Amino acid sequence: MKIRLDKYLADAGFGTRNEVKALVKSGAITINGEKIKDSSQKVDTDTDEVNVNGEDVDYSEYEYYMLYKPAGIITASRDKKEETVLNLIKSKKRRDLFPVGRLDRDTEGLLLITNDGELSHKLLSPGKHVEKGYVAVVTGYSPDDIEALFENGLDIGDEKPTKPAKLRRFSDLEEFMTEYDDSYFAEKFSKLKEDESLTIYEIKITEGRYHEIKRMFEAVGCSVVYLKRYSMGSLTLDPELKPGEYRKLKIDEYKKLKTTCTAPFLVI
Ligand code: URA
């Protein structure tokens, strides 16, 4: 792909478009060994070797990160006052990264961070029905037919009822642990466990409405006290990650996502 030098440098994190123009004018840039002072010069992102003050530019057209979003951080690209999930991605090169979908401030778990708008659109598009899997700790008396109520769709005060959601109740932490083996969750749960009426549910939804899971449980008279996302389509949260940690997506993880959602090929 051929793009302007100023866009190339700005995308690679060397400053705003104006800052990189000044950098180019200062004579700091070479392309294939030749000094370039014109920021409108085209760069072939696949074959050209660009240097800034003698250092190779490590350019990626797309970046893909799996983040374990911790509670207390907002899902936004930037914010004037608060730390965002993007601030946690310290090794990012691109300036145009964004979170795919939104988790509430108090929700934890899997968040994909990328600048691939096409992939993001396809993961979030209601027509694609991409499943997102969560575990919710819920307080209050659950109706006996709660699974059927979630499956049939609930009136949560929006124009339309929710799309069918798959709900599964765990009898206790032990049963949850045989499947999820999440010691971090177990620790959290034991701190919540003062209230004996807590129930652990696995819930799979295909929409992404505002506070959707919390509002679904409220619609049946319950309240979510803890929520964690484990999966989004074929992508699952790496159990090695701790809250606040992240890593690049692996090629096979990306390829699997791509089979449900056609997207540009990954360059990691
Ligand atoms: N549903 C919610 O209520 N909150 C989230 O963060 C995600 C889904």
Side-chain angles (χ1 to χ4, degrees), residues 19 22 27-28 65 78 105 118 127 133 142 148 150 162 202 219 240 266:
E19 284 166 350
Y65 295 99
R78 54 192 67 82
R105 182 196 290 271
E118 192 179 341
S142 316
F150 274 63
T162 54
E202 176 191 82
E240 296 297 317
L266 173 67

Side-chain angles (χ1 to χ4, degrees), residues 6-114:
D6 48 4
K7 175 165 169 41
Y8 178 94
L9 292 170
D11 285 350
F14 284 90
T16 62
R17 213 60 176 253
N18 282 338
E19 284 166 350
V20 300
K21 273 183 182 146
L23 191 67
V24 176
K25 258 197 181 154
S26 76
I29 314 297
T30 62
I31 301 180
N32 302 325
E34 192 189 326
K35 193 172 277 189
I36 303 292
K37 289 200 165 187
D38 174 7
S39 358
S40 69
Q41 169 90 27
K42 287 279 163 57
V43 178
D44 186 324
T45 57
D46 298 320
T47 55
D48 284 339
E49 198 176 282
V50 181
N51 270 240
V52 177
N53 291 320
E55 299 248 335
D56 277 357
V57 176
D58 188 6
Y59 181 87
S60 313
E61 189 178 353
Y62 292 105
E63 286 188 279
Y64 302 84
Y65 295 99
M66 174 192 291
L67 169 70
Y68 183 155
K69 178 199 172 294
I73 304 276
I74 58 167
T75 307
S77 297
R78 54 192 67 82
D79 190 87
K80 286 204 177 102
K81 293 189 199 132
E82 293 197 52
E83 193 183 20
T84 72
V85 289
L86 257 298
N87 298 131
L88 299 173
I89 312 292
K90 303 289 182 205
S91 64
K92 61 182 177 287
K93 297 185 199 104
R94 305 267 330 182
R95 295 157 48 87
D96 52 357
L97 296 176
F98 57 85
V100 176
R102 198 168 280 271
L103 292 178
D104 297 337
R105 182 196 290 271
D106 58 352
T107 302
E108 299 188 9
L110 175 66
L111 197 59
L112 175 63
I113 309 276
T114 184

Side-chain angles (χ1 to χ4, degrees), residues 209-256:
R209 298 192 203 178
Y210 180 69
H211 290 339
E212 180 161 3
I213 293 176
K214 290 174 185 160
R215 291 195 290 147
M216 288 171 94
F217 277 103
E218 273 162 26
V220 296
C222 299
S223 178
V224 172
V225 293
Y226 176 82
L227 188 60
K228 175 170 179 175
R229 181 157 71 189
Y230 283 89
S231 66
M232 190 174 201
S234 58
L235 191 65
T236 54
L237 183 64
D238 186 334
E240 296 297 317
L241 291 178
K242 296 191 181 73
E245 290 183 347
Y246 66 93
R247 67 159 167 78
K248 281 187 171 182
L249 230 59
K250 295 176 182 162
I251 292 278
D252 62 320
E253 289 172 328
Y254 174 77
K255 282 186 180 165
K256 273 193 201 147

